[in-house]
Amino acid sequence: MSTQPEAPRDRRIPGIPHTINAIAEALEGSDRARFKSEVLAAEESSVPGVMRRWWKTAMINRAPGAARSRSNAERGNSLMSVDDLIARISVA
């Protein structure tokens, strides 16, 4: 009997909807508070830019190993190229 190959694992990160509530829910702690503060204080024309910037932050935070990577970067260890990071956060 032969062993069947394992199905490839989907490494894509589920996308966060582009809504204020979804972005806020995806952020944690002080980031969530800063996002809400910025979006509530923004002029109408600035809201989309605030949302895009914080959406990117929320998506990067979902990347596997994001906390470890951030800690390494603060210490100057095990840095990752931007290209590698982008490849890890492909949106499903």
Side-chain angles (χ1 to χ4, degrees):
M1 189 185 289
S2 64
T3 305
Q4 294 297 317
E6 205 173 293
R9 197 174 95 190
D10 186 355
R11 297 180 53 97
R12 293 179 296 173
I13 300 167
I16 298 167
H18 291 265
T19 66
I20 291 171
N21 284 336
I23 295 167
E25 287 175 16
L27 295 167
E28 295 183 8
S30 62
D31 279 349
R32 180 181 294 158
R34 284 197 313 257
F35 166 68
K36 286 181 176 181
S37 177
E38 285 183 31
V39 82
L40 290 172
E43 293 285 332
E44 178 183 4
S45 61
S46 300
V47 171
V50 172
M51 290 176 64
R52 273 192 302 276
R53 185 166 46 83
W54 282 103
W55 180 87
K56 290 175 189 177
T57 298
M59 286 298 297
I60 287 172
N61 289 346
R62 284 188 170 190
R68 184 185 68 231
S69 179
R70 191 174 290 109
S71 176
N72 286 338
E74 288 171 1
R75 292 189 318 267
N77 300 347
S78 304
L79 302 178
M80 178 185 302
S81 75
V82 172
D83 291 334
D84 288 344
L85 179 61
I86 289 170
R88 281 188 162 188
I89 61 172
S90 299
V91 178

